[in-house]
């Protein structure tokens, strides 16, 4: 069975979806890692009995030092793939040159890289928005696209659009993980 690591910073809803739909069925989540001491996803890991690593970014002098520690911790588990599921850090080559990773992003890349992508996507001139899963490189949200799914914006207010994006991102992420590991 293929092994993955999942990195998250927030509530861990995408991580929870991976655990509920893929863990011990299609793959094994061998470690979860967060950069936030109070991330909601910590409970997901504990409830699923998945090893958890907490690496507090504020304890490191540089991004590179933080990334070195993350790489060291991940390498102990030897995952076949690392999945960034709401991991809110810009990663340096210290990470990107050592770890095979994919990232979920809530817009149709290359549009709207970085933060606030859902809001920017909703307000842009295109009739559709969507989500992307891409390979992680040193360029922010710049790696090769693995999978994208569009959402029609017509007749949706922002709350409905946001809900739709957050729903399909879980499906697209799971599909992309399986595609990459196949």
């Amino acid at each position: 069975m293929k092994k993955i690591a999942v990195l998250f910073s927030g509530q861990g809803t995408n991580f929870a979806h991976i655990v509920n739909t893929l863990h011990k069925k299609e793959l094994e989540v061998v470690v979860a890692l967060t950069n936030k001491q109070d991330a909601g996803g910590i409970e997901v890991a504990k409830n699923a009995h998945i090893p958890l690593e907490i690496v507090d970014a504020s304890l490191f002098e540089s991004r590179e030092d933080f990334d070195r520690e993350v790489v060291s911790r991940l390498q102990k588990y030897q995952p076949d793939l690392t999945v960034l599921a709401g991991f809110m850090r810009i990663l340096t080559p210290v990470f990107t040159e050592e770890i095979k990773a994919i990232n979920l992003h809530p817009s149709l890349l290359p549009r709207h890289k970085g933060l606030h992508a859902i809001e920017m996507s909703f307000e842009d001139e295109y009739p559709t928005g969507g989500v992307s899963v891409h390979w992680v490189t040193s360029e922010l949200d710049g790696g090769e696209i693995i999978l994208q799914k569009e959402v029609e914006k017509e007749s949706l207010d922002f709350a409905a659009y946001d809900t739709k994006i957050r729903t399909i991102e879980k499906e697209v992420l799971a599909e992309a993980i399986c595609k990459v590991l196949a």
Side-chain angles (χ1 to χ4, degrees), residues 12 62 67 74 80 82-83 116 134-135 149 154 166 179:
S62 69
D67 286 0
L74 291 175
D80 297 298
T82 295
V83 178
H116 311 297
H134 64 92
W135 288 104
K149 186 166 185 176
E154 188 178 348
R166 292 180 191 281
K179 179 179 178 178

Side-chain angles (χ1 to χ4, degrees), residues 34-164:
T34 183
N35 60 324
K36 302 282 187 189
Q37 301 273 354
D38 60 350
I42 291 170
E43 284 306 308
V44 175
K46 287 179 179 176
N47 291 338
H49 307 289
I50 294 170
L52 174 68
E53 300 280 346
I54 301 173
V55 184
D56 184 345
S58 70
L59 303 177
F60 296 87
E61 288 189 22
S62 69
R63 288 189 179 280
E64 291 79 8
D65 289 344
F66 171 81
D67 286 0
R68 235 176 252 101
E69 182 64 23
V70 170
V71 167
S72 172
R73 300 231 192 152
L74 291 175
Q75 287 175 336
K76 292 188 302 189
Y77 297 92
Q78 300 181 321
D80 297 298
L81 180 68
T82 295
V83 178
L84 279 58
F87 190 63
M88 304 305 287
R89 292 279 305 173
I90 296 173
L91 297 163
T92 69
V94 169
F95 180 96
T96 60
E97 292 174 8
E98 292 294 324
I99 301 293
K100 177 181 171 185
I102 63 173
N103 182 50
L104 172 65
H105 186 72
S107 82
L108 294 174
L109 292 171
R111 297 183 220 159
H112 314 302
K113 296 179 179 185
L115 295 173
H116 311 297
I118 296 175
E119 293 88 344
M120 290 187 294
S121 175
F122 181 73
E123 293 170 2
D124 73 18
E125 69 276 14
Y126 299 99
T128 61
V131 300
S132 305
V133 178
H134 64 92
W135 288 104
V136 174
T137 65
S138 296
E139 179 189 345
L140 177 66
D141 296 325
E144 181 184 343
I145 304 292
I146 298 163
L147 200 59
Q148 288 184 315
K149 186 166 185 176
E150 291 188 0
V151 170
E152 293 286 333
K153 294 191 288 189
E154 188 178 348
S155 78
L156 295 179
D157 64 9
F158 178 74
Y161 177 74
D162 182 67
T163 298
K164 194 153 187 124

